């Protein structure tokens, strides 16, 4: 094949067409999904690949999912065999060690062939969270001890073959879910998204020609790699180490040590988790593909946060973790409660902040206060499971305050579930959701504020709280203060009151549970903060008069 000479305009037009195809896949998924975690929360990742399984386009989505799609697609193609893929096929993969996620994050991919001649030109991929797939417990699995307790596993199984649904596999999914209509509906929504991507990808190749599209993809890949390397070279060079603790593994109260060393040298970033805990008994172990995705998020943020990703974006990255450790789970280690990755993302930044403190913010809330309610709907009697991730305060930067009450930085475009949706679909009612005064870490620039949410229950069920950093505080920078960590308070004001982190709590009508999300950590000495900024914070309810006087030294 003779590579055509391309001008920059053609390269950008082809790139834009591919990005538009991914975005149309996104729109299709949102408009056809059954599950609010997909169409409201946007808990999904959508990617397009060339025939060599190299990333060429993606749509906005959960950053961890996007980074993991690359790993899982390659594992899936390897398992099925490229020669066994045909036009119209759709493959389902949720085996955690290959899928780079827990068993309920279902990855579907399809090969894309040209209508004329049937040449394979690439793949389209959609990952989204399913609400139930036959795990030992409904909702999140918080105390599993091996992967077979975490749901039905598909290592790379055709759910459509040559354009026709594989009836037996669909029925296997249906009869192994407590929420069959929801799961089958989302399966079809993901396939609709894939079909949209197949059509658009083929149309792009037909419009411009395969040689031109291939050359444009190669040009974008080379540009992305060079820009990433140049950006790394412009950053401070060196190697930095940081440590932190995960609360527990869901089975004991023992904290779990995490350690990372980050090296930026000669246009290459290496992230090494040596020194972290061996794999633990409970479900907080990370599949290695998910650990690699952490590194991709950090690399992108450091070097090319405003550019679309391609395969070249992550070439200058190496992520290391020994098999059998916390960050490289191997069969049959349980992996369901992947909040480990959220805490670990902050840990990577904690290491980098030692070498580039003028470029990075302090810790943002530590992790994500997640919760789910499962039970029978008080009006319909139907079984349900619905989830939410609460906002936290973002860490302060060297030159500005952190954002207040914002979804954790690890979750990109993901949103909280609207109160109206949670109430309509569950046995929960919300009596309060507001900014929490004095929840931010003080500093010359203060961290963002967290929230307090009061949940009153109108039906029996279980509330599942998922938080993995409640015992240690988010870290601050340059003399800033560390905020209080996330907390879940069950049955406040009663003799049953207790503080919990990751737990299944049975509830009955009238019970109350309170969630207090952490603020962001501070940056710089609080005594150096602009007094007028402190007075404004007091007037607006972010900071109390006592903290203004005692911590900031300002009379309100």
């Amino acid at each position: 094949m003779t590579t055509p000479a391309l001008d920059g305009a053609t390269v950008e037009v082809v790139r834009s067409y591919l990005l538009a195809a991914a975005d149309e896949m996104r729109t299709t998924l949102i408009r056809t999904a059954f599950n609010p975690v997909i169409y409201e929360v946007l808990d999904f990742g959508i990617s397009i690949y060339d025939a060599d399984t190299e990333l060429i386009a993606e749509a906005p989505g959960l950053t961890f999912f996007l980074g993991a799609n690359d790993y899982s697609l390659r594992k899936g193609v390897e398992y099925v065999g490229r020669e066994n893929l045909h036009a119209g096929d759709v493959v389902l993969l949720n085996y955690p060690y290959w899928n780079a996620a827990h068993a309920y994050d279902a990855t579907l991919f399809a090969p894309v062939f040209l209508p004329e001649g049937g040449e394979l030109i690439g793949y389209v991929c959609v990952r989204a969270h399913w609400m139930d797939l036959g795990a030992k417990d409904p909702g999140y699995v918080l105390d599993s001890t091996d992967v077979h307790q975490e749901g039905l596993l598909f290592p790379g199984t055709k759910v459509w073959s040559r354009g026709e649904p594989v009836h037996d596999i669909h029925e296997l999914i249906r009869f192994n879910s407590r929420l069959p209509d929801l799961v089958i509906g989302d399966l079809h929504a993901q396939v609709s998204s894939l079909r949209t991507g197949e059509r658009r990808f083929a149309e792009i190749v037909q419009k411009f020609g395969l040689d031109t599209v291939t050359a444009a993809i190669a040009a974008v890949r080379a540009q992305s790699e060079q820009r990433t390397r140049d950006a790394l070279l412009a950053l401070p060079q060196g190697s930095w180490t940081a440590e932190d603790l995960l609360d527990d593994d869901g089975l004991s109260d023992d904290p779990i040590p995490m350690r990372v060393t980050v090296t930026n040298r000669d246009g290459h970033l290496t992230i090494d988790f040596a020194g972290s805990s061996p794999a633990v008994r409970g479900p907080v172990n990370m599949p290695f593909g998910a650990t690699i995705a952490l590194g991709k998020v950090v690399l992108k943020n450091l070097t090319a946060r405003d550019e679309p990703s391609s395969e070249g974006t992550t070439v200058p990255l190496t992520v290391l973790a020994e098999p059998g450790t916390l960050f490289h789970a191997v069969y049959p280690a349980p992996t369901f409660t992947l909040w480990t990755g959220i805490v670990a993302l902050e840990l990577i930044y904690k290491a980098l902040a030692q070498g580039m403190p003028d470029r990075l913010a302090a810790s943002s809330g530590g992790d994500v206060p997640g919760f789910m309610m499962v039970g029978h709907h008080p009006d319909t009697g139907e079984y349900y499971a619905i989830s939410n991730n609460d906002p936290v305060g973002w860490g302060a930067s060297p030159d500005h305050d952190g954002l207040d009450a914002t979804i954790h930085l690890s979750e990109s475009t993901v949103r909280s579930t609207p109160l109206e949706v949670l109430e309509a679909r569950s046995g929960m009612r919300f009596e309060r959701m507001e900014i929490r005064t004095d929840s931010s870490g003080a500093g010359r620039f203060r961290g963002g504020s967290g929230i307090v949410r009061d949940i009153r229950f109108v039906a029996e069920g279980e509330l599942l709280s998922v938080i993995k950093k409640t015992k240690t505080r988010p870290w601050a920078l340059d003399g800033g203060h560390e905020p209080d960590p996330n907390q879940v308070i069950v049955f406040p004001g009663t003799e049953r009151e207790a503080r919990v982190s990751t737990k299944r709590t049975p509830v009955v009508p009238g019970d109350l549970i309170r969630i207090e999300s952490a603020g962001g950590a501070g940056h710089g000495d609080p005594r150096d903060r602009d007094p007028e900024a402190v007075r404004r914070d007091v007037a607006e309810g972010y900071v109390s008069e006592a903290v203004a006087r005692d911590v900031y030294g300002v009379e309100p």
Side-chain angles (χ1 to χ4, degrees):
M1 179 183 74
T2 302
T3 302
L6 294 181
D7 55 38
T10 302
V11 171
E12 288 305 313
V13 167
V14 171
R15 186 214 296 252
S16 296
Y17 265 90
L18 291 167
L19 291 170
D23 197 59
E24 191 172 347
M25 291 174 66
R26 183 179 190 266
T27 300
T28 301
L29 179 65
I30 292 170
R31 296 187 66 175
T32 58
F34 280 47
N35 178 358
V37 80
I38 298 176
Y39 66 77
E40 292 283 5
V41 178
L42 310 181
D43 193 346
F44 57 73
I46 293 171
S47 313
I48 301 176
Y49 299 85
D50 66 13
D52 295 322
T53 67
E54 294 197 346
L55 178 68
I56 56 177
E58 61 187 21
L62 182 59
T63 48
F64 286 176
F65 278 14
L66 293 169
N69 278 356
D70 311 347
Y71 189 91
S72 57
L73 175 70
R74 287 163 190 161
K75 289 292 187 180
V77 172
E78 178 184 352
Y79 177 77
V80 177
R82 177 169 166 165
E83 69 281 4
N84 297 318
L85 291 168
H86 309 284
D89 287 354
V90 175
V91 177
L92 166 62
L93 172 64
N94 77 328
Y95 185 60
Y97 318 107
W98 298 349
N99 190 40
H102 65 197
Y104 281 12
D105 291 334
T107 298
L108 272 68
F109 69 87
V112 183
F113 293 86
L114 286 177
E116 320 85 25
E119 183 176 358
L120 177 69
I121 58 172
Y123 303 87
V124 285
C125 181
V126 180
R127 177 190 302 257
H129 182 80
W130 289 359
M131 294 307 291
D132 190 272
L133 200 54
K136 75 180 186 71
D137 301 314
Y140 295 133
V141 183
L142 306 181
D143 61 354
S144 49
T145 55
D146 73 66
V147 72
H148 293 291
Q149 299 172 350
E150 298 180 344
L152 197 63
L153 302 178
F154 294 93
T157 305
K158 290 187 182 181
V159 288
W160 263 258
S161 180
R162 299 180 188 267
E164 296 296 325
V166 182
H167 176 76
D168 289 351
I169 299 299
H170 288 220
E171 290 300 284
L172 184 65
I173 294 169
R174 186 190 309 276
F175 279 86
N176 278 278
S177 176
R178 299 172 181 88
L179 301 164
D181 293 343
L182 204 64
V183 170
I184 293 295
D186 289 338
L187 167 65
H188 282 269
Q190 286 178 257
V191 172
S192 296
S193 176
L194 292 174
R195 296 304 188 214
T196 299
E198 288 178 90
R199 289 194 301 273
R200 293 295 178 257
F201 193 1
E203 288 169 1
I204 292 166
V205 171
Q206 289 172 310
K207 179 179 181 67
F208 293 97
L210 183 58
D211 289 353
T212 296
V213 171
T214 301
I217 290 170
V220 169
R221 185 189 192 281
Q223 291 168 5
S224 297
E225 180 179 349
Q226 190 58 53
R227 286 172 180 164
T228 301
R229 292 192 187 279
D230 289 345
L232 288 173
L233 287 169
L235 292 171
Q237 307 292 293
S239 185
W240 309 279
T241 297
E243 297 179 350
D244 204 345
L245 294 171
L246 199 67
D247 275 0
D248 53 56
D249 68 352
L251 297 171
S252 77
D253 292 328
D254 298 333
I256 302 168
M258 305 187 303
R259 188 175 193 269
V260 72
T261 299
V262 185
T263 302
N264 180 38
R265 187 168 290 123
D266 300 330
H268 194 94
L269 190 72
T270 302
I271 300 172
D272 188 352
F273 286 94
S276 294
S277 169
V280 294
R281 186 164 172 255
V284 297
N285 303 293
M286 292 278 289
F288 186 51
T291 300
I292 294 173
L294 294 179
K296 292 178 180 179
V297 173
V298 172
L299 177 67
K300 187 74 161 55
N301 185 39
L302 287 175
T303 62
R305 66 184 67 177
D306 298 324
E307 288 187 23
S309 294
S310 74
E311 189 69 25
T313 308
T314 55
V315 170
L317 173 69
T318 299
V319 178
L320 302 172
E322 284 295 317
T325 60
L326 183 67
F327 291 99
H328 193 154
V330 297
Y331 176 86
T335 63
F336 203 94
T337 312
L338 293 179
W339 264 244
T340 308
I342 300 168
V343 181
L345 182 69
E346 296 272 20
L347 177 64
I348 297 171
Y349 286 126
K350 183 179 182 181
L352 283 166
Q354 298 174 37
M356 41 192 90
D358 59 330
R359 296 174 180 265
L360 295 175
S363 181
S364 296
D367 74 337
V368 175
F371 68 85
M372 171 181 281
M373 188 175 182
V374 298
H376 291 90
H377 196 280
D379 298 328
T380 67
E382 294 183 356
Y383 197 79
Y384 70 86
I386 192 163
S387 63
N388 176 69
N389 288 339
D390 264 333
V392 296
W394 280 30
S397 296
D399 55 2
H400 60 81
D401 294 342
L403 292 172
D404 298 304
T406 302
I407 285 292
H408 189 269
L409 54 91
S410 64
E411 300 205 328
S412 182
T413 57
V414 170
R415 307 183 297 209
S416 295
T417 309
L419 297 181
E420 297 83 356
V421 173
L422 289 169
E423 290 190 338
R425 288 175 171 259
S426 74
M428 294 183 282
R429 297 294 181 267
F430 298 95
E431 295 186 345
R432 176 168 62 152
M433 182 175 173
E434 61 188 37
I435 293 290
R436 192 157 60 90
T437 301
D438 291 337
S439 56
S440 61
R444 177 171 179 265
F445 293 100
R446 68 166 176 84
S449 296
I451 67 159
V452 57
R453 180 196 291 265
D454 281 355
I455 308 172
R456 183 76 67 180
F457 298 93
V458 297
E460 290 187 16
E462 286 185 300
L463 187 86
L464 287 61
S465 53
V466 190
I467 310 178
K468 284 300 179 186
K469 193 170 175 60
T470 67
K471 300 173 183 176
T472 54
R473 296 170 179 267
W475 47 271
L477 288 173
D478 194 29
H481 288 197
E482 297 177 341
D484 291 334
N486 295 300
Q487 296 289 339
V488 176
I489 307 167
V490 297
F491 318 126
T494 73
E495 61 183 15
R496 297 182 294 158
E497 178 174 328
R499 293 179 181 266
V500 302
S501 53
T502 301
K503 184 177 176 62
R504 304 181 75 94
T505 304
V507 294
V508 298
D511 281 345
L512 179 70
I513 289 181
R514 177 169 298 148
I515 297 173
E516 296 182 351
S517 76
H523 197 297
D525 189 335
R527 297 280 170 158
D528 293 335
R529 184 166 177 79
D530 178 0
E532 288 308 309
V534 177
R535 294 186 181 100
R536 185 168 58 248
D537 286 342
V538 171
E540 294 176 350
Y542 295 104
V543 173
S544 66
E545 291 186 2
V547 167
R549 280 191 292 266
D550 298 342
V551 177
Y552 289 99
V554 174
E555 191 62 38

